[in-house]
Amino acid sequence: MISVAIATYNGQEFIKEQLLSILNQTMPVDEIVICDDQSSDDTVKIIQELLCDKIYLYQNEKNLGGSFGVFYTRRECISKCYFF
């Protein structure tokens, strides 16, 4: 099982390209788990447009920001992966 965990915050510039690249790898992934820290740009909207049976989107209830927010969001994202 191949799981990809992505923590996002205001990543609209690259998220579409990143997701399409992951989905088009020669070794297919089983899931892409995305945890967003309440982006204020179009990151979530772009992800929602690409949702499929392999992409799971979770959002923090509030923006945690800073070092703690990055750590917490990554940890939560990894914990939601199937293999974990």
Side-chain angles (χ1 to χ4, degrees), residues 26-41:
T26 55
M27 181 172 281
V29 299
D30 296 294
E31 67 177 358
I32 302 171
V33 178
I34 304 167
C35 295
D36 184 76
D37 192 18
Q38 287 293 312
S39 290
S40 58
D41 65 1

Side-chain angles (χ1 to χ4, degrees), residues 16 37 62 65 79:
K16 183 175 183 178
D37 192 18
K62 63 179 184 173
S79 75

